[in-house]
Amino acid sequence: MSHWIALDIGGTTLRAACYPTDSLTPTCINKTPTQPAGPETLPRLIELARSVWPVGQAVAGIGVAAPGPVDPSAGVVLKAPSLPGWDNLPLRQILSEAFQTPVYVANDANVAALGEWVFGAGQGHQDLIYLTISTGIGGGVIANGQILLGANGLAGEMGHVTVLADGPVCSCGRRGHLEALASGPSIARWVEEQLQNGAKSNLPQGTQLSAWQIAAAANAGDSLAIAAFERAGAYLGAALAIFINILNPSAVILGGGVARSGELLLAPIRKVLKRQVYSHHFLDRLKLTSAALGDEAGLLGALALAQGLAEKSA
Ligand SMILES: [Zn+2]
């Protein structure tokens, strides 16, 4: 039996898994910290892939979820701000030379969208939007039953659309992007500012908060924490209303750590969508839901990427 290797290069964790054909249960799975400060991420990734390699078995291909903008046709990581030396890195070439097997590389958010579409909350949908909301906001689009890549393979950067002119500075340096208003650190920063300005809350002042902490406070009825999620949900809803007008999806799937807050975020999004989408017909059969795959979205997406592209090139 032949096997697939899936690699997920996360900001904090490198993951690798080996899947037998026709099974979503890995025969071997392993992870290690990314340690982005060191120059050794690439050899450690190769070592990690070796650690899950099936002994004496054939491998049909390797799928890779890679950070930052990626040229999927060349398999090149164009820019990875958190990984020194990874700008313009020909990752596909490096891995296929190391392992002598076909390698498929794509942007991690696009890969997670594929995973949710093929194996998760998006199964059966031909048009869907996937947003991952955690430290940053990324995304992927399935349109007419295909991943939307765009002319340079860069489509789906839905975290970097302007939703508040002259708003807070984004990680990319532009102002007012969705990521600067609704990512985990952005939600925390807003709450910290409100606390400094004297807002009433049970959350501690003068410490660095996490979105998870704020979600817990909101669930306990803290009005500032609830307002923080309503605000983030309103910006997400405004951006999604635009994407929905353009793409007319039948599913919108929210993944990433912040989306685990569930209804805290989904309720304000629904409210804004009703107000801002062009016609209620866009919402009639729309499923708005949290992602199903959790931490394994990257690995299962990388599996879907490798299997799908191998099928196409066969
Ligand atoms: Zn941005």
Side-chain angles (χ1 to χ4, degrees):
M1 197 193 340
S2 112
H3 291 67
W4 299 94
I5 302 293
L7 302 177
D8 180 15
I9 305 163
T12 52
T13 308
L14 302 176
R15 296 171 205 273
C18 175
Y19 295 93
T21 308
D22 302 330
S23 173
L24 298 184
T25 309
T27 53
C28 190
I29 187 163
N30 209 347
K31 62 180 181 177
T32 182
T34 307
Q35 294 177 359
E40 302 302 325
T41 305
L42 186 57
R44 289 169 63 255
L45 178 71
I46 291 173
E47 194 185 309
L48 188 71
R50 285 217 170 92
S51 75
V52 301
W53 206 266
V55 180
Q57 307 263 3
V59 167
I62 302 175
V64 189
V70 169
D71 177 344
S73 64
V76 171
V77 177
L78 297 175
K79 201 170 161 47
S82 63
L83 295 176
W86 276 53
D87 287 4
N88 294 311
L89 183 81
L91 189 58
R92 182 171 73 194
Q93 192 192 333
I94 292 167
L95 292 176
S96 58
E97 277 169 14
F99 292 103
Q100 299 297 312
T101 189
V103 176
Y104 309 95
V105 183
N107 162 267
D108 48 12
N110 276 345
V111 168
L114 264 182
E116 286 291 337
W117 178 43
V118 178
F119 301 125
Q123 286 180 70
H125 293 269
Q126 295 302 299
D127 296 271
L128 73 80
I129 293 171
Y130 170 83
L131 271 192
T132 169
I133 310 160
S134 54
T135 312
I137 297 183
V141 172
I142 307 295
N144 295 328
Q146 282 193 334
I147 184 101
L148 185 73
L149 291 174
N152 300 330
L154 301 175
E157 287 296 352
M158 291 177 281
H160 301 277
V161 294
T162 304
V163 288
L164 180 65
D166 301 322
V169 177
C170 185
S171 67
C172 71
R174 275 87 174 163
R175 278 190 178 275
H177 282 178
L178 180 61
E179 180 173 301
L181 291 151
S183 66
S186 307
I187 293 171
R189 193 177 51 217
W190 183 78
V191 169
E192 286 158 13
E193 280 167 15
Q194 303 309 304
L195 287 170
Q196 274 167 21
N197 294 337
K200 281 215 173 83
S201 169
N202 289 326
L203 287 160
Q205 201 183 335
T207 59
Q208 210 175 4
L209 298 169
S210 70
W212 187 240
Q213 218 177 342
I214 297 164
N219 283 323
D222 189 280
S223 58
L224 178 65
I226 292 169
F229 276 91
E230 277 178 352
R231 177 176 177 273
Y235 286 118
L236 282 162
L240 282 168
I242 296 168
F243 307 150
I244 288 168
N245 280 356
I246 297 168
L247 296 160
N248 185 22
S250 58
V252 171
I253 300 169
L254 303 183
V258 177
R260 283 184 200 150
S261 56
E263 279 304 308
L264 278 176
L265 208 54
L266 292 174
I269 290 174
R270 268 192 219 103
K271 203 163 76 185
V272 171
L273 286 182
K274 272 191 198 137
R275 219 167 46 216
Q276 297 193 4
V277 163
Y278 169 56
S279 147
H280 70 86
H281 294 294
F282 283 84
L283 304 179
D284 283 349
R285 290 186 300 123
L286 181 73
K287 174 184 174 185
L288 171 66
T289 184
S290 303
L293 300 182
D295 283 346
E296 275 192 72
L299 286 175
L300 287 169
L303 174 67
L305 174 76
Q307 288 180 337
L309 291 180
E311 215 168 82
K312 254 188 204 168
S313 61

